[in-house]
Amino acid sequence: MTAMTRQLWAATRALLVLTVLLGVAYPLGMTALALAMPDRATGSLVMIDGRPAGSVLLGQATVEPQWFRARPSVSDYSGETSGGSNWGPSAAELSADLAARAADLRAVNPLAPAGPIPADALTTSASGLDPHISPAYAAWQAPRVAAARGMTVEQVQRLIDANMTSGELGFLGADRVNVTTLNAALATLGR
Amino acid sequence: MSPTLQAVLYVTTVALILALAHVPLGEWMYRIFTDERDWRMERLVYRLVGVDPRSEQRSSVYAVSVLAFGVVSVAFLWLLILVQGWLPWGMGRGQNWHTALNTAISFTTNTNWQSYAGEAGAGHTVQMVGLTVQNFVSAATGLAVAAALMRGIARQGADRLGNFWVDLTRACVRLLLPIAAIAAVLLLVGGVIQNLDAPQTITTLAGQQQAVQGGPVASQEAIKLVGTNGGGFFNANSAHPFENPNGWTNLLQIVLILLIPFALPWTYGRMVGDRRQGAVVTAVMAGLFAVSVTLTTWAERAAAVGVAGSLEGKEMRFGIVPSAIFGAATTSTSTGAVNSMHESYSPLGGGLLMVNMQLGEVSPGGVGTGLYGMLVMVIITVFIAGLMVGRTPELLGKAIGRREITYAALASVTMPALALLFTGASLLIPAARDALLNSGSHGLSEMLYAYTSAANNNGSAFAGLSADQPWLNLSLGFCMFVARFGIIAFTLALAGSLARQKRRPVTEGTMPTHTPLFATLLTGIVLVLAALTFFPALALGPLAEALS
């Protein structure tokens, strides 16, 4: 056996041994441990009437006026894939997309305040599954949702506040509203 | 809270955690690579592998072991991906031959460039048995090479650098596995999923269908970051809410990325018996990193004036500052995980992320690779400084002669040569040009970023590039393989050459390598080498876009 053959043989055995330890025992051990936290380990599902209606961590596609809209998504929240638009900052396509989304939002939100639309309402997220919007965008949509549901804007705003998370420690994250749990709260209102 | 205050608080928090961790962790790694005894579990591994843990290797044999392990890993992973349809948890996912080869090279070389989307290209068996394993062992290989170079500098009149199989096993068993296990539990608590389920289709509140993904994510996420690997379980990587659900997990991820790279200089100081040598390396790494974080955060904030508010390709739970800091961390270490889409960054912000890689991944660089990359820079600095003042170039009493500077120069020129040659070639090839999403100067940036990432074994991307085609898969794979194993071969040859030398006594003519002056020189050399090689390309890409 030449030196190289001997090395390749040792490498093969080393890879197999380490695969058993790191590729089988470790992930399966962690999966067993995760059974202690079944809710988180399976995706923090939102249950309504005993059926999963989404994940707290994932945004959902909505078009009807009575639901809050999450951010624009490249995959339209299918969950089959994930990712962003990858348009560069000076791409003409990006400007066109932003303008089209602004026109669309203005059309379906006639009651919304004048002035600039919050940036997160116009831009696609990195994952295409972002469940969060800014408190400003939530408040901007509130008149539409209130009108569609026959509620007052104040009632809707109270639900927004209840589904708001402050940035962790004030600087680790951003203040944000979870659209999925907010819509779930709307869905189960009065029950 | 003002963005400036936010950035200061964030960076201070990360710095404090790293400052607390780097001494015990650096000390632990010193013991790992100098311990005379083996753990029982390790003895079992050595018996199964058939190596004598007490027999040490010459630099050439050490290099052959590294290469053999790399080649076997590529072959095994390539095969595993190709046959995953017949294995459990295949879930109908697959990759064609050139995508699979690219993936196999990518994960073996600690690059983790991904031409495939995790949701479509890798079932749970491949993720665990293939990709998770390479996340560990490729990081351990980097540590082993760093250990060999440290021994080469520390030893004198020696012809052996240690045993690769021992260094590999110990790095996995004593360092990476324990940290990864703890990190995986923390990520789980934070909300990262960990199960063996196939995607389940649910009916949403508004009555639509949505796929909720499953998978052993937390276990892989942990080593993806600790090992500065960066290959996401899902396509969106650390931007996917199932990989990185909130501000806490985002902080944890940034810390995990920087943990080992910033602790290794301490190990170096201990190995060579002079902690000041390690302190200089830490200072230079930290200085470069601090500047990069500051500039990137500033660039992204400054761009937040338009209608897009710098939020295109960013997640709302993080916002601009935590995204920019993550971006700087992942490109300054050869990680390549992303929590925001780098391609949609402002021209200067995205350009800075590219520059982080073009420094040669030394600020602080990847696990092991960052330290050996920086030590190569130390040797080049010693040589140039020695020439300038007419002193014999020496590092810790070892002469930097023709042989040493040749190996160091070859190691440092490999990356820019690959990155620039292949960027240029691909811009001439219609099939590669057609893969670009963006046009104009940003299109050039997109291509330059791809080959910079591959040649630095980083793995992040300006992801608009449709890289899943034969030319890009194979040429990027070539760059990743040659950059990784070429630089390792030169580094080990350098280590062998240094180990053979006797240590010369320190005289008045010796230039000290532990002073602030030397740290300044080293910083200058790192910056000047990158500027000389990459400035023309950067001027046509990000700089042109920023000025237009």
Side-chain angles (χ1 to χ4, degrees), chain B residues 348-384:
Chain B
L348 286 180
L352 283 161
L353 300 180
M354 224 183 304
V355 170
N356 287 338
M357 295 188 278
Q358 288 162 348
L359 295 179
E361 296 292 20
V362 292
S363 59
V367 168
T369 63
L371 182 70
Y372 67 70
M374 187 57 107
L375 292 178
V376 166
M377 288 294 167
V378 166
I379 283 165
I380 292 175
T381 306
V382 164
F383 184 78
I384 291 176

Side-chain angles (χ1 to χ4, degrees), chain B residues 251-263:
Chain B
L251 172 69
L252 175 63
Q253 300 210 348
I254 292 173
V255 168
L256 289 174
I257 286 172
L258 299 169
L259 193 62
I260 295 177
F262 268 122

Side-chain angles (χ1 to χ4, degrees), chain A residues 55-154:
Chain A
S55 160
V56 172
L57 301 176
L58 305 179
Q60 301 186 346
T62 55
V63 282
E64 299 88 349
Q66 73 269 29
W67 301 109
F68 276 90
R69 276 203 204 184
R71 298 176 69 192
S73 158
V74 173
S75 59
D76 204 23
Y77 292 96
S78 79
E80 303 276 358
T81 185
S82 56
S85 75
N86 289 308
W87 288 122
S90 35
E93 293 88 342
L94 177 61
S95 312
D97 285 348
L98 294 172
R101 287 179 200 135
D104 172 53
L105 285 175
R106 289 275 181 221
V108 298
N109 290 279
L111 303 172
I117 302 175
D120 56 308
L122 303 174
T123 48
T124 61
S125 60
S127 64
L129 292 164
D130 195 344
H132 294 114
I133 57 177
S134 64
Y137 182 32
W140 194 86
Q141 297 186 59
R144 181 198 76 225
V145 176
R149 289 185 175 268
M151 297 165 69
T152 66
V153 175
E154 288 69 32

Side-chain angles (χ1 to χ4, degrees), chain B residues 286-302:
Chain B
L288 288 168
F289 182 63
V291 171
S292 160
V293 170
T294 309
L295 291 177
T296 312
T297 313
W298 166 80
E300 288 308 285
R301 282 297 314 171

Side-chain angles (χ1 to χ4, degrees), chain A residues 7 13 26 31 40-41 57 59 71 77-80 82 85-90 124 126-127 130 168 171 174, chain B residues 6 49 65 119 189 194-195 202 210-211 213 219 235-236 241 247 311-317 343-345 438 545:
Chain A
Q7 295 272 18
R13 290 194 287 185
Y26 163 67
T31 309
R40 289 168 202 193
L57 301 176
R71 298 176 69 192
Y77 292 96
S78 79
E80 303 276 358
S82 56
S85 75
N86 289 308
W87 288 122
S90 35
T124 61
S127 64
D130 195 344
E168 293 86 344
F171 63 93
Chain B
Q6 184 187 12
V49 176
S65 290
E119 292 93 333
V189 172
Q194 177 77 22
N195 58 63
I202 56 142
Q210 183 179 45
Q213 298 284 335
S219 55
N235 192 45
L311 285 175
E312 181 69 21
K314 294 194 178 70
E315 298 280 295
M316 286 312 287
R317 60 192 178 282
E343 175 130 38
S344 298
Y345 271 42
N438 287 273
E545 190 185 4

Side-chain angles (χ1 to χ4, degrees), chain B residues 360-427:
Chain B
E361 296 292 20
V362 292
S363 59
V367 168
T369 63
L371 182 70
Y372 67 70
M374 187 57 107
L375 292 178
V376 166
M377 288 294 167
V378 166
I379 283 165
I380 292 175
T381 306
V382 164
F383 184 78
I384 291 176
L387 289 186
M388 283 196 296
V389 297
R391 293 174 174 177
T392 319
E394 277 178 21
L395 173 63
L396 292 160
K398 302 292 182 77
I400 307 303
R402 189 177 59 84
R403 189 196 303 268
E404 289 79 15
I405 195 64
T406 305
Y407 291 138
L410 285 170
S412 74
V413 85
T414 304
M415 178 276 287
L418 288 167
L420 291 173
L421 284 174
F422 276 91
T423 302
S426 292
L427 288 170

Side-chain angles (χ1 to χ4, degrees), chain B residues 507-533:
Chain B
T507 66
E508 284 200 352
T510 310
M511 189 187 66
T513 50
H514 61 260
T515 56
L517 175 66
F518 185 79
T520 313
L521 276 174
L522 177 56
T523 308
I525 293 290
V526 170
L527 291 174
V528 166
L529 281 184
L532 287 176
T533 32

Side-chain angles (χ1 to χ4, degrees), chain B residues 282-349:
Chain B
T282 311
V284 173
M285 287 175 167
L288 288 168
F289 182 63
V291 171
S292 160
V293 170
T294 309
L295 291 177
T296 312
T297 313
W298 166 80
E300 288 308 285
R301 282 297 314 171
V305 288
V307 282
S310 220
L311 285 175
E312 181 69 21
K314 294 194 178 70
E315 298 280 295
M316 286 312 287
R317 60 192 178 282
F318 308 136
I320 295 172
V321 171
S323 296
I325 295 173
F326 193 108
T330 193
T331 48
S332 296
T333 59
S334 61
T335 308
V338 296
N339 79 347
S340 48
M341 291 302 135
H342 291 182
E343 175 130 38
S344 298
Y345 271 42
S346 63
L348 286 180

